[in-house]
Amino acid sequence: QNITLEAGESREIVITVRNLGAHEVRNLFTLAAPSSGSPFTVEFLRNSNSVSQIAANNQRTMTMLITVDDDADPDNHSIELGHFFRDNIGRTLTSSDTINVRIGGATGEPNVRLGNFNALHTGALSQDETFTVSATIENIGNANARDVRISLPNNMRTEDNIFITNGDDLNRAFFQTMEQGHSSILNFTFRTASEIETGSYPIAFEISFRAENETDFTTVTIPFTVHVVAPDEDDEISILEIREMSVPMNAINVAQTGSISFYLYNSGEVEARNIRVEAEVPGNEHVIVPMSSNIQVIQSLAPGESRAVSFTFSPTDASVTRSYAVRFRTTFDIARTGETDTFDQFAGFNVFNPEEEEDDETARTQIPRVIVSSYSLEPEVPRAGHEFAMTITFRNTNATRSVNNVRILLEEVLSTNTSGQQTHFAGFTPVGGSNTLFVENLAPRGEETMVLRFTTSAESTSGTHNMRVAFDYQDNEFEMHEASEQISISVAQVTRLELADVEVPDLANIGEPVWFSFSIINSGRVNLSNIRVRTEGPFDVSEAGRFIGTINAQRTTTFDGRFIPQEAGQHTGEFIITGEDTTGAIIDLVHSFSIMVNEGWGDEYVGGDRGDAWGDGGMSRPMPDGGMFFPGETENSSGSGLFRSIFFKESAPEGWDEAMMGDFRMHGLEPVTSVRWIAVIIVIAVPVLAIAIPVIIIISVNTRRKNFIIDNED
């Protein structure tokens, strides 16, 4: 953390960034900011300051190139490192470090710094936990320091979130004299408050010292951050993360464009919806401007799914040679809970603004640029396999120089997943023309608007696709220039929802449940969400509908339920299935069915007591033996009715559905009468047996008596 350089020197510095916590760190991005007036520039090489993740207690290295001005005066400076990352519960956090840079030749000034922090514990802290922080204090200046003291804001009072437990630690950190080059290791013991909440907390160490023979003190504040997790807090893990971010390796000139791309990955177990990624350069919106749409929308990401996202930027004439921070703010809905989550990710955009010497004055190079100033689509979200119109405007941004012979190439940027397989394409094809356009001349700040027609492939994947717009042109001095940018086009697949294997009975009775079932088939290429089933008709449908959720592409789900008819007669009902596709458009499918409902034998239609009410009711009903029971008759009636019921039976006319037996007389039909032969046989057999049995008994008794007399005579 202490570097000594000479004027005119350029050196690569390797720094180590270590994750001291118990959980992995994701999407780490580090910015380097030299202190005010520093005579050197700093840039990270090979995109080493962007790290997708660091596991617990692991580390990564970053390489910085520090270039000192040739005429740099001897002095002491510093570089502030700002770290932006996401913790294990999905929040964006920051921390910082300080690197001290001494330009050779500086004499007579002390420079006391505190560094090499190390928290002597493993993982995140909990509530009411004691921990120790060690650090190295060193005088890196060229003179002795006097009255060196370390303090904490308000001595970290107990009512604060973190407080120091041993005041002697601060007393031992006092040095009456600290010689040049001297270093010592200090330990400080702290405790977290019992009510502390989950979060990151800085401990601000203040160092004060003075040079010998001087009374004025120099005060330096050096923060150290600790992380706390409250065990009772209900933290919800964010399910989206940015992976494999790619930024331009070289600095971008004011006449050029550069793209930052990455994969948006759903690492959770539920679907993320309505994803919105917005790119901006905080505080420098007019210095680094987006050349593509600064907002990209992804309708949904299933668990484990990733989507490539790309933004194009260009520095304006107001920029200077340095690294600018670009913030990507991602907002999305969590499907299971419906809650909205937001996180930020930063990337560095290195700018080089060349200068020319003209008449002893510095003037910035003015290279004309051609950009896409606006574009619109009709329809706004094209469907796969269908044509759409694009109205696009090209603009020369230079105020004084024209451009000529502008050739414009439009081509799709094919996306791949993290395994390198091409998974995201739209197949943009020009209709009635070429994908190469030509503009003869664009005057200073001139524009050219064109209406183009494209079609997409029927196999196109749903989501946001990127189209690259590449320019090559001549300025008014016939010098050739090139530029490129990207525009985003959202494409939606055609949805296909079907019903199959529908099973509904043809007949039912009032008040009796009717069970049904069917299969819902998503035969399209896009996932469907918020699927809901309901039933309509003259029925009680309280158990005939349900929320299903998501049906993925090329998948089937089954549904079953029941409804209760309320009215007799032939009725028509409908099964209605509604949902949303990836664009948010509402889809619905209606399936009609027909069912015949009888009045049935329910108690509610005859007063409640079957035994007494059938005689007063208006309906006939089937008898257990297959005959009919009619209004006005009872099962125990005598006379002709009894005789008729014993020797004859009445059944439904030929062709009448047995399930509807009992109402045919209401339709003017007469029953079919047939003889009960078994009853006739029984009636004849009973008197015959009544006579035959006594005769047989008498004959048997007489025979036994004769045999007895013969035995006695012998």
Side-chain angles (χ1 to χ4, degrees):
Q1 290 180 297
N2 302 306
I3 303 169
T4 300
L5 300 171
E6 300 295 331
E9 183 181 0
S10 181
R11 187 191 303 176
E12 291 187 10
I13 304 297
V14 178
I15 62 174
T16 299
V17 179
R18 183 174 181 84
N19 176 12
L20 299 176
H23 303 280
E24 71 172 3
V25 166
R26 302 177 182 176
N27 304 330
L28 170 66
F29 180 75
T30 300
L31 288 177
S35 57
S36 178
S38 297
F40 54 81
T41 60
V42 181
E43 63 176 309
F44 284 96
L45 301 181
R46 298 175 290 278
N47 196 30
S48 59
N49 61 326
S50 179
V51 181
S52 61
Q53 64 180 20
I54 303 179
N57 295 314
N58 273 281
Q59 62 190 32
R60 295 289 186 273
T61 58
M62 301 180 180
T63 304
M64 298 188 305
L65 177 63
I66 304 178
T67 303
V68 185
D69 297 344
D70 293 336
D71 56 353
D73 295 326
D75 202 351
N76 295 309
H77 305 276
S78 64
I79 300 174
E80 293 294 328
L81 297 179
H83 307 291
F84 303 86
F85 58 93
R86 294 177 65 197
D87 63 7
N88 66 304
I89 57 175
R91 296 167 306 177
T92 299
L93 302 175
T94 62
S95 63
S96 62
D97 290 298
T98 301
I99 295 179
N100 303 302
V101 179
R102 182 172 62 192
I103 305 301
T107 59
E109 293 291 336
N111 187 6
V112 180
R113 290 291 184 268
L114 193 67
N116 296 328
F117 286 102
N118 184 24
L120 303 180
H121 70 281
T122 301
L125 297 166
S126 59
Q127 295 172 333
D128 198 23
E129 180 178 355
T130 300
F131 64 98
T132 299
V133 175
S134 70
T136 301
I137 188 169
E138 182 179 9
N139 180 4
I140 63 174
N142 289 26
N144 295 341
R146 299 279 295 177
D147 300 329
V148 180
R149 185 182 298 277
I150 297 178
S151 61
L152 298 169
N154 297 323
N155 290 324
M156 306 296 281
R157 301 185 307 266
T158 55
E159 59 265 36
D160 295 333
N161 289 308
I162 297 176
F163 57 93
I164 193 165
T165 61
N166 189 353
D168 290 339
D169 292 344
L170 294 176
N171 295 331
R172 285 190 291 269
F174 173 76
F175 299 85
Q176 185 173 0
T177 299
M178 181 176 287
E179 297 178 351
Q180 174 186 346
H182 174 83
S183 65
S184 298
I185 297 177
L186 304 176
N187 292 306
F188 305 93
T189 304
F190 298 91
R191 176 177 289 275
T192 58
S194 59
E195 301 298 327
I196 192 171
E197 298 180 352
T198 297
S200 298
Y201 297 88
I203 300 175
F205 293 92
E206 292 183 353
I207 304 175
S208 62
F209 59 93
R210 64 181 178 87
E212 291 189 277
N213 303 321
E214 292 185 8
T215 57
D216 294 335
F217 280 83
T218 299
T219 302
V220 178
T221 300
I222 301 177
F224 172 72
T225 302
V226 296
H227 306 286
V228 179
V229 175
D232 295 332
E233 188 172 310
D234 185 15
D235 293 313
E236 182 168 345
I237 298 177
S238 300
I239 62 174
L240 289 189
E241 61 183 62
I242 288 176
R243 292 186 173 182
E244 299 185 22
M245 178 174 285
S246 175
V247 300
M249 296 295 294
N250 301 320
I252 306 300
N253 192 283
V254 292
Q256 298 176 328
T257 58
S259 296
I260 299 176
S261 60
F262 51 84
Y263 286 97
L264 199 60
Y265 177 75
N266 184 352
S267 61
E269 298 180 355
V270 296
E271 182 184 36
R273 300 175 184 161
N274 304 323
I275 305 166
R276 175 188 175 98
V277 183
E278 181 176 2
E280 63 177 349
V281 186
N284 296 283
E285 292 84 355
H286 302 294
V287 177
I288 306 294
V289 295
M291 304 304 292
S292 60
S293 173
N294 69 321
I295 298 176
Q296 294 196 25
V297 177
I298 301 173
Q299 297 299 327
S300 64
L301 277 180
E305 184 181 4
S306 64
R307 187 71 53 82
V309 179
S310 180
F311 296 89
T312 302
F313 304 90
S314 180
T316 67
D317 296 333
S319 63
V320 297
T321 300
R322 54 163 286 193
S323 179
Y324 292 88
V326 181
R327 180 178 67 192
F328 299 95
R329 173 159 292 175
T330 303
T331 304
F332 61 97
D333 296 336
I334 302 173
R336 182 176 297 167
T337 64
E339 297 179 354
T340 299
D341 196 6
T342 300
F343 70 90
D344 293 338
Q345 175 67 39
F346 290 84
F349 193 83
N350 297 318
V351 174
F352 177 69
N353 194 346
E355 298 178 344
E356 295 178 349
E357 295 295 333
E358 297 181 1
D359 299 329
D360 298 329
E361 293 183 0
T362 299
R364 302 192 184 280
T365 301
Q366 297 290 328
I367 298 177
R369 292 182 297 157
V370 179
I371 66 170
V372 175
S373 60
S374 66
Y375 71 97
S376 61
L377 306 176
E378 178 58 41
E380 185 176 355
V381 180
R383 290 281 178 177
H386 293 258
E387 291 186 16
F388 67 94
M390 175 193 292
T391 302
I392 187 169
T393 300
F394 306 105
R395 178 181 175 85
N396 174 12
T397 63
N398 198 280
T400 59
R401 308 175 72 179
S402 62
V403 296
N404 307 298
N405 301 324
V406 183
R407 186 176 64 173
I408 307 167
L409 174 66
L410 294 91
E411 58 183 358
E412 181 181 3
V413 180
L414 298 178
S415 300
T416 58
N417 59 19
T418 54
S419 301
Q421 299 175 334
Q422 180 180 316
T423 59
H424 203 55
F425 68 97
F428 296 124
T429 303
V431 177
S434 170
N435 64 337
T436 301
L437 312 175
F438 181 79
V439 178
E440 184 176 357
N441 176 268
L442 281 176
R445 293 186 177 174
E447 292 185 340
E448 179 78 17
T449 299
M450 299 182 181
V451 178
L452 311 174
R453 294 198 67 83
F454 292 87
T455 185
T456 58
S457 169
E459 305 294 325
S460 171
T461 53
S462 293
T464 301
H465 302 261
N466 294 319
M467 180 180 288
R468 178 174 176 265
V469 184
F471 304 97
D472 62 73
Y473 52 93
Q474 295 175 330
D475 62 17
N476 54 2
E477 296 179 358
F478 302 102
E479 291 187 14
M480 292 298 300
H481 303 282
E482 295 182 354
S484 66
E485 58 182 276
Q486 294 184 11
I487 59 177
S488 299
I489 301 174
S490 295
V491 177
Q493 258 290 345
V494 177
T495 58
R496 294 183 177 91
L497 194 62
E498 304 174 19
L499 249 63
D501 303 326
V502 181
E503 296 184 3
V504 184
D506 295 328
L507 303 169
N509 294 325
I510 292 177
E512 297 182 4
V514 176
W515 289 93
F516 65 87
S517 65
F518 51 79
S519 297
I520 306 174
I521 305 174
N522 178 3
S523 57
R525 296 185 177 90
V526 60
N527 296 342
L528 301 177
S529 59
N530 296 329
I531 301 296
R532 184 180 297 275
V533 177
R534 73 177 191 272
T535 303
E536 293 187 355
F539 320 118
D540 176 359
V541 296
S542 58
E543 298 182 59
R546 188 172 70 243
F547 177 79
I548 294 179
T550 298
I551 303 179
N552 292 333
Q554 308 294 315
R555 293 293 185 269
T556 300
T557 187
T558 57
F559 181 86
D560 59 75
R562 67 176 188 172
F563 58 84
I564 301 176
Q566 303 283 300
E567 304 174 7
Q570 190 75 29
H571 296 295
T572 299
E574 294 178 336
F575 299 127
I576 302 174
I577 295 87
T578 60
E580 299 178 15
D581 64 11
T582 54
T583 68
I586 302 299
I587 58 174
D588 62 83
L589 174 65
V590 178
H591 180 88
S592 299
F593 64 90
S594 181
I595 187 168
M596 181 66 188
V597 180
N598 294 324
E599 292 187 1
W601 320 112
D603 298 339
E604 61 271 25
Y605 302 107
V606 291
D609 189 333
R610 295 183 180 178
D612 299 331
W614 280 110
D616 299 329
M619 300 173 60
S620 57
R621 64 182 175 91
M623 295 289 290
D625 58 5
M628 295 300 300
F629 181 70
F630 301 97
E633 297 181 355
T634 65
E635 297 181 26
N636 298 320
S637 60
S638 57
S640 62
L642 178 61
F643 179 81
R644 182 184 181 89
S645 65
I646 293 175
F647 289 93
F648 301 95
K649 67 176 181 179
E650 293 181 340
S651 58
E654 184 178 357
W656 187 261
D657 194 325
E658 291 185 0
M660 300 177 65
M661 184 183 298
D663 290 333
F664 55 83
R665 286 197 172 190
M666 297 176 61
H667 296 273
L669 300 177
E670 293 297 327
V672 176
T673 303
S674 58
V675 177
R676 297 182 186 274
W677 292 110
I678 186 66
V680 174
I681 293 173
I682 292 174
V683 170
I684 297 174
V686 168
V688 171
L689 292 175
I691 297 173
I693 291 174
V695 172
I696 293 172
I697 293 174
I698 294 172
I699 294 173
S700 176
V701 170
N702 290 333
T703 301
R704 291 177 59 85
R705 182 179 299 168
K706 290 179 180 181
N707 291 336
F708 179 75
I709 295 173
I710 293 172
D711 290 339
N712 289 338
E713 289 178 356
D714 293 338

